[in-house]
Amino acid sequence: MGQYIRCIITDGNLTRDQLARMLPQISRRYRLEGDLLLHDAEAKAVLEFNHPGDGIMEDDVELLKRYAQEKQDSEHLASMLEKATSMIAAQDMTQQADEKEATRSALDPIWKWLLANRQALIVYEGGHFVDADGPHP
């Protein structure tokens, strides 16, 4: 399996069913089948939906806080992470480097939509943070 991309939501709950209802607003090319996100009928990522108290989200948020400490906007990022109410962890299903970029490109419209319509923070593998204001070096 490939890399993780996490979407931290800070303005309420985001469930699998809610995302499934949002996907047609983003593009009819997307659909969910169980925990698989399909784009043009091709599985692109395994999605995991986490919430406070599930035993997973807290550990991931703590890891992301450590990454955030190294950023210029560390206080802003830490504040967003403290407000986390939901998290989607997307693990790409590719093995090859060129396929990983195609998967990331396929997922980007979803992240952009969430950034425009929700209070959200996208964290790419290795601690690369993006919110509605853009990347946080």
Side-chain angles (χ1 to χ4, degrees):
M1 286 291 207
Q3 299 181 353
Y4 279 97
I5 303 170
R6 292 172 178 86
C7 178
I8 306 295
I9 302 293
T10 64
D11 65 349
N13 201 20
L14 181 62
T15 65
R16 177 178 280 105
D17 290 342
Q18 290 169 327
L19 182 64
R21 288 191 301 271
M22 290 175 193
L23 287 176
Q25 297 174 46
I26 301 166
S27 172
R28 298 229 176 258
R29 298 171 69 184
Y30 294 109
R31 79 172 190 274
L32 288 177
E33 280 188 7
D35 60 355
L36 292 179
L37 175 70
L38 285 80
H39 181 259
D40 291 336
E42 183 179 338
K44 291 293 184 181
V46 176
L47 301 183
E48 183 176 314
F49 292 78
N50 300 109
H51 303 90
D54 68 7
I56 295 172
M57 187 168 161
E58 289 82 359
D59 289 343
D60 279 5
V61 167
E62 287 304 314
L63 171 68
L64 299 177
K65 284 180 185 177
R66 288 194 296 276
Y67 286 136
Q69 290 173 350
E70 301 169 10
K71 303 298 178 182
Q72 293 174 4
D73 296 331
S74 60
E75 289 181 28
H76 168 71
L77 297 172
S79 174
M80 288 194 73
L81 291 165
E82 283 292 325
K83 296 175 190 173
T85 54
S86 297
M87 179 178 71
I88 303 170
Q91 184 179 26
D92 76 52
M93 299 181 62
T94 58
Q95 300 297 326
Q96 305 298 324
D98 58 334
E99 292 174 341
K100 290 181 185 311
E101 187 57 39
T103 296
R104 185 171 171 168
S105 294
L107 294 173
D108 278 346
I110 296 171
W111 307 140
K112 287 177 184 175
W113 190 93
L114 287 167
L115 289 172
N117 292 281
R118 300 290 301 261
Q119 294 295 313
L121 178 65
I122 309 301
V123 187
Y124 294 93
E125 189 79 18
H128 304 283
F129 294 83
V130 178
D131 67 8
D133 295 329
H136 292 272

